[in-house]
Amino acid sequence: MNNMLVLQTDFGLQDGAVAAMYGVSLGVNPDLKIYNLTHEIETYNIWDASYRLVQTLQYWPEGTVFVSVVDPGVGSSRKSIVAKTKDKKYIVTPDNGTLTHIHSNIGIEEIREIDETKNRLPYSGESYTFHGRDIYAFTGARLASGVISYEEVGPKISLDEMVCLNTTEVTVDEDGMIKGTIDILDIRFGNLWTNIPKEIFDKVGINYGDTLELNIKHDTRNVFNSSVKFVKSFAEVHVGRTLLYVNSLNKIGVAINQGSFSRAHQVESGYQWKVELKKISK
């Protein structure tokens, strides 16, 4: 391990919850390096937690330990686990779907269930509602600082037992129509991040500068339909115009140059939000 601990929660920073997790972690090792991924995940939104992990984890060094706590089932029978990814990072989290995007995009090598008889904050046994502090921060800190090895987390469990959220596959029909979903929002700027990889555009012969028909639906209701240009940078279209681009995860995004597409058209993210794209012949 590299003595680095990265925290993600839906706790926010308005009270002492995150500070308590810091305190427990530093109590394990005062030299531990602790960083925040985000504490502004929408409350109870496991899907967003899963996506923010895959957005971030791949850029951290081998041996980094992540603690992700978005846990609407806290205190229930759901498992507490630590996953070892194929790129040699570790994620301490409830087994509730948080590992979905890591599993499908990076890969998980092994999972162990946390043995709470050994890996739990001392004298916290009567508390069932703050596992982020009592189990996840404590175990993550012990693992990151080398107090315990990965094998000492607890027993190994089958990958087939891991809980995964439902995802939607990208499809391309005979006419070249690409269908996908809006996985998440680039929140601050209001851009839409789809699940359509740039490789799909390459396969069907869509190049920068091409114009596509873009249709967005919420379930079966049409929300937006227009012709949109596929560009490398926002500056290639006028301010206020809609564009298609490749985001930082090599997926197709939808944006308004210097505007919020999400706010302008009341579009959100999730499997109910569908995207259809087709190249317009010249």
Side-chain angles (χ1 to χ4, degrees), residues 5 12 16 30-31 35 55 79 109 112 133 138 154-155 161 165 180 186 192 204 207 221 226 235 242-243 247 254:
L5 186 68
D31 296 323
Y35 305 89
Q55 180 184 355
K79 293 183 176 71
E109 185 174 300
R112 291 183 175 268
R133 175 196 65 195
F138 184 70
E161 296 180 39
L165 305 173
D186 185 359
L192 317 182
V204 300
N207 301 305
R221 178 175 63 89
S226 183
T242 300
L243 59 106
N247 70 15
V254 183

Side-chain angles (χ1 to χ4, degrees), residues 151-273:
E151 290 71 26
E152 291 174 301
V153 164
K156 183 177 178 180
I157 60 176
S158 170
L159 289 176
D160 294 335
E161 296 180 39
M162 183 179 67
V163 175
C164 283
L165 305 173
N166 291 327
T167 57
T168 303
E169 296 294 326
V170 177
T171 63
V172 183
D173 67 20
E174 294 179 354
D175 296 324
M177 174 75 75
I178 304 167
K179 296 182 179 181
T181 55
I182 302 169
D183 265 357
I184 208 160
L185 302 180
D186 185 359
I187 296 173
R188 183 171 179 83
F189 298 101
N191 305 332
L192 317 182
W193 284 15
T194 77
N195 66 335
I196 302 169
K198 169 63 164 54
E199 290 79 5
I200 294 290
F201 273 28
D202 297 336
K203 287 180 180 179
V204 300
I206 297 173
N207 301 305
Y208 290 113
D210 287 341
T211 300
L212 288 80
E213 180 180 358
L214 166 63
N215 188 37
I216 297 175
K217 298 179 179 180
H218 184 241
D219 290 327
T220 58
R221 178 175 63 89
N222 289 323
V223 176
F224 180 85
N225 180 268
S226 183
S227 58
V228 181
K229 193 173 182 181
F230 177 45
V231 295
K232 288 185 177 180
S233 72
F234 289 26
E236 292 181 46
V237 302
H238 293 298
V239 172
R241 295 296 299 271
T242 300
L243 59 106
L244 298 171
Y245 70 105
V246 179
N247 70 15
S248 58
L249 297 181
N250 212 38
K251 302 286 180 71
I252 301 303
V254 183
I256 293 175
N257 185 16
Q258 297 186 37
S260 170
F261 189 99
S262 174
R263 287 196 296 272
H265 300 287
Q266 300 300 298
V267 175
E268 298 296 334
S269 61
Y271 69 90
Q272 307 98 325
W273 289 92

Side-chain angles (χ1 to χ4, degrees), residues 47 50-51 54 97-106 167 183:
W47 177 274
S50 173
Y51 201 95
V54 79
T98 298
L99 298 173
T100 299
H101 289 92
I102 294 293
H103 184 47
S104 59
N105 289 274
I106 294 175
T167 57
D183 265 357

